[in-house]
Amino acid sequence: MTRQPRPPARFPLDLDQVHAPPAKRAMPAPSAPATVTTPAARLATVPAAVQRGTALLRPQRPLQQAARDAAAQHAPSGLGLDSAAVRARMVERLRASGVRCEPVLQAFGAVPRHQFVDSALAIQAYEDTSLPIGLQQTISKPSVVAWMLALLFEGSHARAQGDLGRVLEIGTGCGYQTALLARLGRAVVSIERLKPLHDKARANLAAHRQGDVRLVFGDGRLGHPPRAPYQSIVSAAGGDDLPAAWVDQLAVGGRLIAPCNHPERGGQALLVLDRTDQGLTRSWHDAVNFVPLKSGVQ
Ligand code: SAH
């Protein structure tokens, strides 16, 4: 889904990099020993005799196999033991960047992002970067997801009730944001139009699923009438306008947030729609760069 970088946004965030290719940066220096294993660290777990090569006297377990076994023990679950600490540092970076919504920060601290991406990318999971999830789609960078969810929390239902109520998510992708929403809402319906991603999300969420989550394979432009109305609607894909079904399915007191092509500025921006007793109000927020909202299923 990667597009060209866009001009700087007003967020105190690097929103123009929303969907830039993952940077090849090293993990930030940990303040506590992390279990992210380097090849050298993995080798350190190989018995000294094996490292010296004397273990080759035992032909059934040659040096390379022993090193492979040791590496396998640590990857990708090498993030596992200490992933809470790595996540806590990601949460502190989100807080430092201006995200102040405690429920959102707590959800980020609880959901293991590395388990939603390919194991080869797990080491990058807690960097503020988008990552490929297959079929030219990406998981959005954490700072963008955090800002969107924090904006959602400023809707009138969420401010009054302290949760996102019944949530409709368009664009399940790998299911990471679905897992966050499951902690923030009372029930979540998430729609994905690409069957392989719908299946991937189902597998990813099997271990993390909590609360009332329904994954739907279908065209999210139609929303999901059986569970409407929704107090929160959030889309991870953007088009020229908001599909009428989303607006129809938004509850009074509810808030919708979606990337949408800005009629005057050109390019995408976040559009927030609130439904009150008096009707609908729209407000435009920062420039973003999400994948296109497409019709039909594949
Ligand atoms: N929140 C996701 C991000 C996925 S990227 C995550 O955490 O991984 C956006 C997703 O929107 C893609 O998977 C894309 O296939 C999906 N999408 C685009 N148009 C759609 C539509 N009409 N209905 C449902 N999903 C759609």
Side-chain angles (χ1 to χ4, degrees):
M1 73 159 293
T2 304
R3 292 186 187 168
Q4 290 308 302
R6 302 179 43 72
R10 283 182 289 114
F11 275 152
L13 291 170
D14 196 11
L15 273 186
D16 54 338
Q17 294 296 312
V18 170
H19 290 298
K24 291 202 171 66
R25 281 178 280 140
M27 290 288 284
S31 55
T35 57
V36 178
T37 50
T38 62
R42 286 178 193 143
L43 201 58
T45 65
V46 178
V50 175
Q51 288 190 42
R52 283 196 305 273
T54 51
L56 287 176
L57 295 173
R58 295 158 57 202
Q60 72 274 26
R61 196 161 187 269
L63 173 63
Q64 283 182 339
Q65 183 59 49
R68 271 199 299 273
D69 290 349
Q73 273 176 19
H74 289 275
S77 58
L79 268 171
L81 283 178
D82 217 18
S83 73
V86 185
R87 265 197 309 284
R89 284 194 288 280
M90 174 183 71
V91 169
E92 286 322 305
R93 287 195 300 274
L94 290 173
R95 198 190 297 278
S97 76
V99 179
R100 293 284 183 267
C101 181
E102 285 306 320
V104 169
L105 291 170
Q106 274 174 25
F108 270 85
V111 178
R113 191 171 187 257
H114 67 281
Q115 291 177 6
F116 288 82
V117 297
D118 284 352
S119 53
L121 299 171
I123 199 159
Q124 288 181 282
Y126 297 103
E127 295 181 29
D128 194 26
T129 184
S130 57
L131 293 170
I133 54 173
L135 302 172
Q136 286 94 48
Q137 309 301 317
T138 55
I139 179 174
S140 303
K141 62 197 268 188
S143 56
V144 172
V145 178
W147 274 103
M148 283 181 82
L149 297 182
L151 265 178
L152 212 47
F153 246 93
E154 287 171 21
S156 84
H157 168 93
R159 272 190 280 115
Q161 303 296 323
D163 65 59
L164 296 180
R166 205 158 46 242
V167 184
L168 174 65
E169 178 189 41
I170 296 94
T172 315
C174 68
Y176 174 66
Q177 183 174 271
T178 316
L180 296 171
L181 289 168
R183 293 175 171 269
L184 299 170
R186 294 186 189 178
V188 182
V189 174
S190 183
I191 311 177
E192 173 57 55
R193 66 178 289 275
L194 298 177
K195 186 70 164 64
L197 285 181
H198 167 77
D199 292 341
K200 183 185 267 195
R202 187 172 294 289
N204 285 344
L205 285 163
H208 306 287
R209 208 152 165 165
Q210 66 165 56
D212 180 356
V213 176
R214 180 172 300 188
L215 299 181
V216 176
F217 169 54
D219 183 350
R221 294 172 54 85
L222 307 175
H224 188 70
R227 289 209 150 182
Y230 300 94
Q231 283 78 35
S232 302
I233 300 180
V234 58
S235 176
D240 283 333
D241 209 347
L242 297 180
W246 301 356
V247 182
D248 292 346
Q249 292 171 27
L250 185 64
V252 174
R255 172 168 275 206
L256 179 162
I257 182 162
C260 200
N261 292 335
H262 194 286
E264 287 120 40
R265 279 191 227 156
Q268 271 183 354
L270 285 179
L271 178 57
V272 170
L273 193 74
D274 289 292
R275 185 186 287 285
T276 68
D277 289 334
Q278 281 76 49
L280 296 165
T281 59
R282 279 176 173 237
S283 56
W284 287 98
H285 292 256
D286 301 81
V288 286
N289 197 8
F290 280 78
V291 290
L293 182 69
K294 296 196 171 168
S295 300
V297 295
Q298 265 178 31

